[in-house]
Amino acid sequence: MSLPSVIIVGCGFGGLWAAEGLRRAPAAVTVIDRTNHHLFTPLLYQVATAGLSAPSISAPIRHILERQKNATVLLGEVREIVPQQRHVVLEDRTTVAYDYLVVASGSINHYFGHDDWAPFAPGLKTLDEALDIRARVLTAFERAEREADAAKRSAWLTFVVIGGGATGVELAGTLAEIARHTLKGEFRRVDPTRARVVLVEGTDRVLPPYTPALSEKARLQLERLGVTVWLGKRVTGVDAGGVALGAERLEAKTVIWAAGITSSPLGRPLGAPLDRAGRVQVEPDLSVPGHPEIFVVGDLAAVPGVPGVAPAAKQMGRHAAANIVRSLKKQATREFKYKDYGQLATIGRNAAVAMFGKLELSGYPAWLMWLLAHIYFLINFRNRLAVMIDWAWSYWTYNRGARIILKGPS
Amino acid sequence: MSLPSVIIVGCGFGGLWAAEGLRRAPAAVTVIDRTNHHLFTPLLYQVATAGLSAPSISAPIRHILERQKNATVLLGEVREIVPQQRHVVLEDRTTVAYDYLVVASGSINHYFGHDDWAPFAPGLKTLDEALDIRARVLTAFERAEREADAAKRSAWLTFVVIGGGATGVELAGTLAEIARHTLKGEFRRVDPTRARVVLVEGTDRVLPPYTPALSEKARLQLERLGVTVWLGKRVTGVDAGGVALGAERLEAKTVIWAAGITSSPLGRPLGAPLDRAGRVQVEPDLSVPGHPEIFVVGDLAAVPGVPGVAPAAKQMGRHAAANIVRSLKKQATREFKYKDYGQLATIGRNAAVAMFGKLELSGYPAWLMWLLAHIYFLINFRNRLAVMIDWAWSYWTYNRGARIILKGPS
């Protein structure tokens, strides 16, 4: 008799923790991901801003799971889920059958019905996108150095980040640091320290999940780093030349999208109700209503009171695995309970905000906490060491180790 | 009165050493390169084989030249040189005038009139190509793991390296190491240690610039690492399914081209005689016949007895700079004399060959020498440290730090 099969779709934090939670389960686990690596997404903005190399924040999934002998890793893209037949369909039309399914396919960039903006304002969800943003940012300074026309030069030296959530704040703060410190003195015709970094946010404060007092502290830290923060401004258009905000217009050759994500489309075929963000409204045990053999974890799962952050995805992944183990033993599944360890957002050098229950921190103490937490959580020792060296180096020298544009001028 | 202007085209070893040789010259130096980085090409094969990240072997040109205040760096592609008008033309049709010109645009992949082979057999000249090869190699093992058909699986597990020069030997040896050690135990359906790495060379020995005895030692070391070496075989076709060698055929999904390079096309407009490889036959002082204000250095220069290696390019770059300084002082230029410090070629773990005048080394001593020399020459301290850590790590663990495929399955 063959072992019951578990398919895990997606190997982000939710999927990887689900796989590891099944390491002693009497089951054949198959992990399917579109890429060959697990990505430490909280540091993706560092790859986009040339502080870290791509391999420093990623590890091959099959290397992580090498010793877990009940796990098979497949590089592939799940295009469909057919709950009635209990199989998934891959991009080459092959099907893979399951007894249990964990859907951990996460979220994707969302342009609120303006997909035509995407080519001019890349988002930051994958390594490819991070390297695209890195090339755009570095190339913009290069183009400015070659540009004779003052207005065009100024557009090359204007960087707009749309969206004042954690990603937008990190990107804007780091871009200002690059312009003011890293590139200082390296150009002969333009002054990179006069580059303009504008963070545009539609609501009346940055970092909405934090308290209004911390949001204000974050805004002040951003301004101190050299970021211009525009609150309460709605983007109404993005094109090759800049950003429209109602009647206003910002001439900018580099625009980054950090304003919205939506759920992976793989929530739809599950037949369960979705919330407005496209997330699957799961049962308290994280299973899909009517399908006790399917679990949804991470950003794709809508669980009241649980934010879309890495620690929540890990906890859900681990919990879904435990429920599968209980189900295999014919035991009742258990309700998921989120444990909130607090929230941290970095803004730039020595600048961050943190919230641990009622305790609020900002500035250097919050930044130090963020630094230690992220080094600690980086998945394997090698990466941790490489990241520490990269960071120590760039902290002291303001230099950034990954300032490599991989494509020539387009 | 403005300073005389020097344009340096290309910032490989020849161009960079020319720029640095002019650091005290009363001249305005402009360095133009298609990429924003100087590349340590002797280690490019390590990026292609996932041992090093791209930023580890490259450094932004403007960062290297930051303190050289008489140097301006432009990201751009020189499309034409017009010696009669003393200017170069960039990709956007803008022109840049010069009083002195150093052409250091190097060499490009050469398919001997079979450019249609290029899509199936990428060469290894740029970081982009290295990352392309890395993705192809890693994806091949992934595809094999998913492939049900035995013949197709075997084609995914067959790797052909065409060309038995230094690059081909390094690539083949490292590919065998990846298959036999790095990936061992990480797959469930295929056995990566049974992958086949075939090195095809048209002549009767590998590493032709070395002595026949060292070539034979290199071949033996390759075989010991698990490489199948085919000598005296001419490739007559390359397509998506494999390689044709006259009547024979090798079914292989991954083919790498290391068989030939030719000179950059920028030698042609100089009006000087070219040799069969398209290199400019320069005067003894490295200037172009009839154009004492133009110097050619590196792979693009044909100087009898001087090989196309990094140390020669550096020496030529430095010499051209010195001759420009002499010319500015109205002094006579001097003849270039190549100083041969020996040759080293690595094959794989503990395997290499080296030639220092009459002294010949192979195996572990040659490999150790190669390792020390390459760490020493890596351009800046940060890279040197990062490379040392990466190498120490992968030597002890057989793991490779950069095993990241940046594109999903195509």
Side-chain angles (χ1 to χ4, degrees), chain A residues 48-270:
Chain A
T49 54
L52 292 173
S53 75
S56 292
I57 63 154
S58 36
I61 297 166
R62 60 174 71 260
H63 184 62
I64 302 173
L65 296 175
E66 177 178 4
R67 303 227 166 111
Q68 184 171 331
K69 294 300 175 195
N70 73 349
T72 299
V73 177
L74 298 183
L75 177 70
E77 183 166 352
V78 173
R79 289 277 168 83
E80 288 169 49
I81 296 172
V82 189
Q84 295 74 27
Q85 316 204 0
R86 296 200 178 178
H87 71 223
V88 301
V89 184
L90 302 186
E91 81 286 349
D92 64 352
R93 306 269 109 216
T94 56
T95 60
V96 191
Y98 62 78
D99 297 307
Y100 291 91
L101 178 68
V102 179
V103 187
S105 46
S107 53
I108 55 176
N109 294 312
H110 184 46
Y111 291 85
F112 304 117
H114 295 283
D115 286 349
D116 53 311
W117 297 354
F120 312 111
L124 183 62
K125 294 293 292 175
T126 66
L127 273 184
D128 271 327
E129 288 171 337
L131 294 175
D132 180 21
I133 291 174
R134 184 201 287 176
R136 285 173 190 238
V137 168
L138 296 174
T139 303
F141 286 99
E142 298 292 339
R143 295 294 292 268
E145 180 81 342
R146 276 184 58 179
E147 182 58 62
D149 180 81
K152 286 183 186 163
R153 206 160 52 224
S154 150
W156 281 116
L157 290 178
T158 304
F159 300 83
V160 180
V161 178
I162 303 174
T167 301
V169 164
E170 287 161 355
L171 281 171
T174 315
L175 287 177
E177 183 178 318
I178 290 174
R180 292 204 165 185
H181 297 284
T182 309
L183 299 182
K184 190 181 170 182
E186 293 192 8
F187 291 77
R188 301 293 179 253
R189 302 170 179 182
V190 297
D191 179 359
T193 68
R194 299 187 61 183
R196 210 170 153 212
V197 179
V198 184
L199 178 65
V200 179
E201 163 60 35
T203 71
D204 63 349
R205 60 190 180 99
V206 298
L207 298 176
Y210 290 74
T211 62
L214 279 180
S215 288
E216 180 57 14
K217 280 187 174 151
R219 190 187 66 78
L220 289 172
Q221 291 180 78
L222 280 165
E223 298 271 3
R224 209 172 301 136
L225 289 168
V227 177
T228 305
V229 181
W230 285 8
L231 298 174
K233 300 251 186 186
R234 283 223 167 280
V235 172
T236 52
V238 184
D239 55 52
V243 174
L245 308 119
E248 279 177 286
R249 192 175 158 82
L250 251 172
E251 299 297 329
K253 285 295 205 174
T254 314
V255 182
I256 304 173
W257 186 259
I261 51 174
T262 190
S263 300
S264 143
L266 287 178
R268 272 175 239 145
L270 303 179

Side-chain angles (χ1 to χ4, degrees), chain B residues 283-314:
Chain B
E283 301 283 357
D285 69 349
L286 301 179
S287 71
V288 171
H291 285 287
E293 77 284 7
I294 304 181
F295 294 83
V296 179
V297 303
D299 283 3
L300 184 58
V303 184
V306 180
V309 295
K314 290 183 195 177

Side-chain angles (χ1 to χ4, degrees), chain A residues 63 128 142 186 382 390 406, chain B residues 63 128 186 382 390 406:
Chain A
H63 184 62
D128 271 327
E142 298 292 339
E186 293 192 8
R382 186 203 160 273
D390 278 347
L406 292 178
Chain B
H63 185 62
D128 272 327
E186 293 193 6
R382 187 201 161 275
D390 279 346
L406 290 178

